[in-house]
C-alpha cells in the first residue's frame, strides 16, 4: 500500500521535564523563561522537540542539558499530553518526565531559554505556565507524593550521604506537613533495605553529630508510609 506523508497534517513529538528539588525545607521546581514564540516571556518546564533519530529519554536528557545545564540521573515518565490545541504551532504530543535533584546550584539558561529559576511549589510558582505545563507539573507532583508512600524515591532528593533528619525533610517538603522525628526515625531504620548506615557522622553543628546513611537496595517500602491527613 502506498503511503503519502503529505496526505496527513503536520505532527510532532516533544518532551517536557519536571525537575524537583528539596532545599531549606521547601520543594522547588526548575523552570525556564521562554525566549521565543509561542508564549515568549512565560515560564515553562524545560523541554523541546524530539529529533528524528532520538528515543524519548535521550531527547529529554538532551533538552534538559541544553536549557538548564542539568544532567538527570534518573527519569520517570509522568504521562503523554495530546490535547489538539495544546500547542498553537501545530499538532504536538508531549511525553513528560520527572526527575529529582539533590543540588540545583549549577542551573543556568541555554538554548532558547532566556533564563532559568527555581520556584517554590507551595504557593510560589506562577499560576499560568506556558502550554499545559501547569497540568503536567501538578500530575508529576501527585505521582511523587504517592511514590513516597511505597518506594524509596525520597533518597533521590538527598546527597549520596544524608542524615535521617534530612530524609525526613524531603517527606515534609513534598507532603507539606510535619512528621514526628522519633517515629519517622524508627520507621526508616526498621524498614528493610531503605537506608544503610555508612559508619560516619555529620560533622559540625551543636551536640552529638548525627549518623550518616546512604540509599539501600530496597525497591519497595514495606510496610508503606501513609500521607498524614
Amino acid at each position: 500500500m502506498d503511503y503519502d506523508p503529505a496526505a496527513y497534517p503536520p505532527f510532532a513529538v516533544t518532551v517536557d521535564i519536571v525537575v524537583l528539588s528539596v532545599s531549606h525545607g521547601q520543594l522547588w521546581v526548575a523552570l525556564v523563561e521562554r525566549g521565543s514564540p509561542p508564549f515568549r516571556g512565560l515560564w515553562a518546564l524545560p523541554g523541546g522537540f524530539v529529533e528524528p533519530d532520538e528515543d524519548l529519554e535521550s531527547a529529554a536528557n538532551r533538552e534538559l542539558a541544553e536549557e538548564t545545564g542539568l544532567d538527570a540521573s534518573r527519569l520517570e515518565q509522568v504521562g503523554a499530553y495530546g490535547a489538539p490545541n495544546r500547542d498553537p504551532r501545530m499538532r504536538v504530543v508531549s511525553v513528560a518526565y520527572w526527575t529529582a535533584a539533590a543540588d540545583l546550584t549549577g542551573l543556568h539558561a541555554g538554548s532558547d531559554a532566556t533564563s532559568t529559576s527555581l520556584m517554590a511549589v507551595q504557593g510560589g510558582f506562577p499560576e499560568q505556565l506556558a502550554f499545559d505545563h501547569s497540568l503536567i507539573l501538578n500530575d508529576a507532583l501527585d505521582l511523587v507524593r504517592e511514590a513516597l508512600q511505597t518506594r524509596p524515591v525520597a533518597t533521590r532528593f538527598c546527597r549520596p550521604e544524608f542524615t535521617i533528619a534530612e530524609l525526613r525533610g524531603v517527606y515534609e517538603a513534598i507532603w507539606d506537613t510535619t512528621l514526628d522525628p522519633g517515629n519517622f526515625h524508627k520507621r526508616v531504620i526498621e524498614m528493610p533495605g531503605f537506608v544503610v548506615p555508612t559508619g560516619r557522622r555529620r560533622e559540625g553543628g551543636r551536640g552529638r553529630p548525627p549518623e550518616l546513611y546512604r540509599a539501600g537496595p530496597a525497591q519497595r517500602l514495606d510496610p508503606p508510609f501513609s500521607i498524614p491527613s
Side-chain angles (χ1 to χ4, degrees), residues 34 36 48 80 94-95 109 111 121 123 126 134 180 215:
R34 289 187 56 79
S36 58
S94 183
V95 180
S111 185
V121 169
S134 294
D180 179 83

Side-chain angles (χ1 to χ4, degrees), residues 1 8 16 32 63 94 112 133 180 205:
M1 180 181 294
Y8 298 88
D16 292 302
V32 299
E63 285 289 346
S94 183
D112 58 353
H133 290 185
D180 179 83

